[in-house]
């Protein structure tokens, strides 16, 4: 997807398992009040989504609601800053990783959506099982996620997915030097983990390339998009 169309549904993030995240560009004619109102509405919508999922549904596997875990926090700044792209990943409060045995394509109960649930939601169960081999998905994010490879391996193992092929490059397509870590309060690493896990869940046989832009305030993300287009058939 292009940067301008990567806006997706908000949902909770539990151990880097979620359906959501996006990039947005602040308007040069920013209306602070409107931005704040939009941010508040988004937070309310996210809270409502979390509450609905926790109440249970055909595809939900969420922890029981408690006063501590009803809300969520933004991985990146909640208010969009003019001149910066922003990730919209949400981290659910008071939800932590847990260790449990799993069956193939499953996530431990009470942790989040598993690959089989996500594939079913998009009617891709058959395609995910048979298609994707020899194809490459590119993901574009800002800054470096130093633990991307190990976190992805942990997710795929817990979900019963094959090890897969993963490569991480900078915005120019080189394996080094990689960007710096994201600054405090602008944690793109959660967005990167979310993207990697969801791409793995939907297309277990696809190879994945993570293209990391130098930052979120210059042309890096657009350069990274062009690089991604040269490395993969799907972005």
């Amino acid at each position: 997807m292009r940067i301008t169309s990567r806006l997706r549904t908000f949902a909770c993030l539990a151990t880097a398992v979620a359906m959501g995240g996006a990039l947005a560009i602040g308007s040069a004619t920013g209306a602070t009040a409107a931005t704040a109102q939009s941010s508040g509405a988004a937070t309310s919508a996210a809270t409502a989504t979390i509450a609905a999922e926790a109440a249970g549904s055909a595809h939900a596997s969420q922890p029981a609601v408690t006063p501590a875990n009803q809300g969520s926090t933004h991985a990146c700044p909640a208010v969009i800053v003019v001149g910066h792209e922003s990730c919209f990943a949400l981290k659910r409060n008071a939800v932590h990783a847990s260790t449990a045995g799993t069956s193939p394509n499953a996530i431990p109960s009470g942790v989040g959506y598993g690959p089989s649930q996500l594939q079913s939601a998009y009617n891709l169960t058959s395609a995910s099982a048979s298609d994707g081999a020899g194809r490459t998905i590119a993901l574009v994010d800002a800054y470096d996620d130093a633990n991307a490879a190990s976190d992805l391996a942990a997710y795929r193992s817990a979900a019963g997915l094959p090890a897969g092929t993963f490569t991480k490059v900078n915005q120019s397509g080189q394996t080094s030097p990689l960007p710096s870590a994201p600054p405090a309060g602008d944690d793109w690493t959660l967005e990167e983990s979310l993207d990697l896990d969801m791409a793995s869940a939907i297309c277990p046989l696809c190879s994945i390339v993570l293209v990391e832009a130098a930052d979120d305030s210059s042309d890096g993300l657009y350069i990274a998009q062009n690089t991604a287009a040269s490395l993969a058939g799907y972005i």
Side-chain angles (χ1 to χ4, degrees):
M1 303 180 192
R2 298 181 61 83
I3 283 182
T4 52
S5 64
R6 282 194 64 223
L7 198 58
R8 293 173 286 175
T9 305
F10 281 103
C12 63
L13 177 66
T15 62
V17 181
M19 297 176 65
L23 297 174
I25 302 173
S27 170
T29 57
T32 303
T35 301
Q37 182 179 11
S38 175
S39 177
T43 300
S44 297
T47 301
T49 300
I50 290 170
E53 290 176 347
S57 73
H59 295 293
S61 176
Q62 301 296 331
V65 174
T66 68
N69 70 17
Q70 290 188 56
S72 62
T73 55
H74 289 262
C76 297
V79 177
I80 296 173
V81 179
V82 175
H84 288 253
E85 289 82 18
S86 178
C87 73
F88 285 172
L90 297 176
K91 180 178 180 180
R92 184 168 171 182
N93 297 342
V95 176
H96 307 288
S98 62
T99 301
T102 61
S103 57
N105 290 321
I107 291 294
S109 177
V111 174
Y113 295 101
S116 60
Q117 295 168 320
L118 296 168
Q119 293 165 14
S120 176
Y122 290 95
N123 195 28
L124 292 170
T125 302
S126 177
S128 295
S130 58
D131 296 336
R135 299 174 185 268
T136 300
I137 297 174
L139 306 173
V140 178
D141 288 291
Y143 301 107
D144 179 43
D145 179 359
N147 299 319
S150 58
D151 287 350
L152 177 60
Y155 173 82
R156 294 182 72 106
S157 176
L161 300 177
T165 301
F166 171 65
T167 307
K168 183 169 65 172
V169 299
N170 60 27
Q171 65 189 40
S172 299
Q174 305 300 313
T175 55
S176 66
L178 293 172
S180 61
D186 194 13
D187 193 0
W188 278 77
T189 61
L190 292 178
E191 175 72 26
E192 293 181 55
S193 289
L194 184 157
D195 292 345
L196 289 168
D197 294 351
M198 296 304 97
S200 296
I202 293 299
C203 191
L205 302 182
C206 288
S207 297
I208 298 176
V209 177
L210 174 61
V211 185
E212 297 182 328
D215 55 48
D216 62 1
S217 59
S218 61
D219 292 335
L221 281 163
Y222 298 100
I223 295 171
Q225 284 285 107
N226 287 331
T227 295
S230 71
L231 297 175
Y234 308 89
I235 302 174

